[in-house]
Amino acid sequence: MQLHRQAFRAMASPCELRVYAQRASQAQHAMSAAEAEVRRIEAKYSRYREDSVVSRINAAAGSGTAVEVDTETTGLLDYAATVHAESEGLFDITSGVLRRVWDFRSSRLPEPGAVEAIQPLIGWQRVDWVAPRIHLPLSGMQLDFGGFGKEYAVDRAATILLEMGVGSGIVDLGGDIRVLGPHPDGSPWRVGIRNPNAPERAVVAVHLAGGAIATSGDYERAFLLDGRRYSHLLDPRSGWPIAGSPASASVLADRCLIAGSAATVAMLNGERAAEWLRALGLPWLTVSHDLAIDGDAVHPAPAG
């Protein structure tokens, strides 16, 4: 049995499928189907595409007209509502409008009053959601599936591969990972966790024979101003960056969707990230800005 790879780019991320199969044609057929599923989800939920479900919902904001959605979208909206409630509002798919006032590339704070002015457009609790119809009550409100769409795509791609008979392999969409099964010799996959000070390198590795791992970090978009660090992780309730969070949080779960939303909520808990993760009960790993590692993820080992 040979290892086959397929690399592509989707959801603004480098992606790779690695599967074991007896024949190259079998592997290619399965990986092409999995990639097609990722691209289907991207097209359906991207806020950058005018024909996406998300764009249709956002375009109807404030119109008084609800948009009817299908079963798949209903499941995702219900999931987002559940995580919003369980995170006490930290996970909020209406908070993407904050990018209108926060520009992390310019390393500047928003204009005075800008954050406060946009706050009325944020809050899942304001959304009229009675499945299968959804309406954003105020013009300018938006949904953004960026916080969990990629993780959902990981799970869907894994499902496609498993249904096509691939029992050993890995789905990696920008570092959000689902393991289909161990290598043919039974050994686990070695997954590196990025060094926040040198993201092209791993600071630690975890071994996975199955399940998923997702990581949320604040080191790719942040700036220092007057001695204070401002990360792109914004508290939807205040509109301001979370303070005191680790550089990254990784969570292991059966599904990447769960691992990803848990990692995100952990980071949004700021200095309480480790406490929140211990209470959650899933294996986890945090890396601090000075590279201190904490957590109970499965036997982390130094990366080579």
Side-chain angles (χ1 to χ4, degrees):
M1 190 167 288
Q2 298 295 316
L3 179 63
H4 305 270
R5 300 170 182 260
Q6 181 159 313
F8 58 98
R9 189 167 181 85
M11 301 183 173
S13 299
C15 306
E16 185 177 31
L17 308 174
R18 283 177 277 171
V19 304
Y20 282 96
Q22 294 285 0
R23 302 186 306 278
S25 58
Q26 177 193 6
Q28 187 59 54
H29 182 54
M31 291 190 293
S32 294
E35 179 182 338
E37 179 69 353
V38 172
R39 297 198 183 282
R40 180 191 72 81
I41 293 168
E42 180 178 28
K44 185 172 182 178
Y45 296 115
S46 171
R47 62 183 170 82
Y48 297 106
R49 292 185 54 139
E50 292 183 358
D51 59 346
S52 74
V53 172
V54 168
S55 292
R56 193 156 51 91
I57 294 169
N58 292 344
S63 69
T65 302
V67 174
E68 185 168 335
V69 299
D70 63 9
T71 301
E72 181 180 43
T73 307
T74 293
L76 288 170
L77 290 171
D78 281 345
Y79 181 79
T82 298
V83 181
H84 176 264
E86 294 187 353
S87 68
E88 299 179 346
L90 286 173
F91 185 95
D92 194 323
I93 63 173
T94 69
S95 65
V97 293
L98 285 167
R99 64 181 170 273
R100 297 175 186 166
V101 298
W102 282 98
D103 180 0
F104 288 90
R105 287 172 298 186
S106 69
S107 301
R108 292 199 306 264
L109 294 177
E111 294 296 321
V115 173
E116 292 75 13
I118 208 168
Q119 280 300 105
L121 300 181
I122 301 170
W124 173 259
Q125 70 279 3
R126 305 179 201 272
V127 176
D128 298 326
W129 168 234
V130 180
R133 294 178 177 81
I134 185 167
H135 179 241
L136 307 181
L138 297 176
S139 178
M141 288 187 77
Q142 289 186 357
L143 298 187
D144 187 345
F145 281 31
F148 67 136
K150 180 153 59 71
E151 292 85 347
Y152 173 67
V154 170
D155 288 327
R156 283 296 309 150
T159 297
I160 294 292
L161 291 169
L162 289 166
E163 289 177 348
M164 297 184 73
V166 177
S168 177
I170 192 167
V171 176
D172 180 352
L173 303 187
D176 293 323
I177 290 170
R178 174 84 175 266
V179 173
L180 307 174
H183 293 280
D185 64 1
S187 63
W189 295 82
R190 195 162 178 260
V191 178
I193 305 298
R194 287 181 175 179
N195 182 328
N197 300 328
E200 72 281 1
R201 292 160 45 195
V203 67
V204 69
V206 295
H207 294 179
L208 290 176
I213 183 169
T215 299
S216 177
D218 78 343
Y219 47 85
E220 291 188 336
R221 281 182 291 164
F223 64 86
L224 283 171
L225 185 66
D226 297 331
R228 179 177 171 182
R229 188 171 189 277
Y230 295 87
S231 86
H232 77 284
L233 293 170
L234 302 172
D235 186 337
R237 302 168 302 186
S238 69
W240 285 83
I242 295 288
S245 63
S248 71
S250 302
V251 176
L252 284 66
D254 289 342
R255 289 192 295 154
C256 197
L257 180 61
I258 294 171
S261 49
T264 298
V265 174
M267 292 294 292
L268 290 170
N269 268 278
E271 60 188 15
R272 293 183 56 249
E275 176 186 347
W276 186 84
L277 285 164
R278 288 190 186 94
L280 182 64
L282 293 173
W284 60 278
L285 182 74
T286 59
V287 181
S288 70
H289 291 281
D290 59 2
L291 305 186
I293 295 168
D294 192 11
D296 61 357
V298 185
H299 305 303

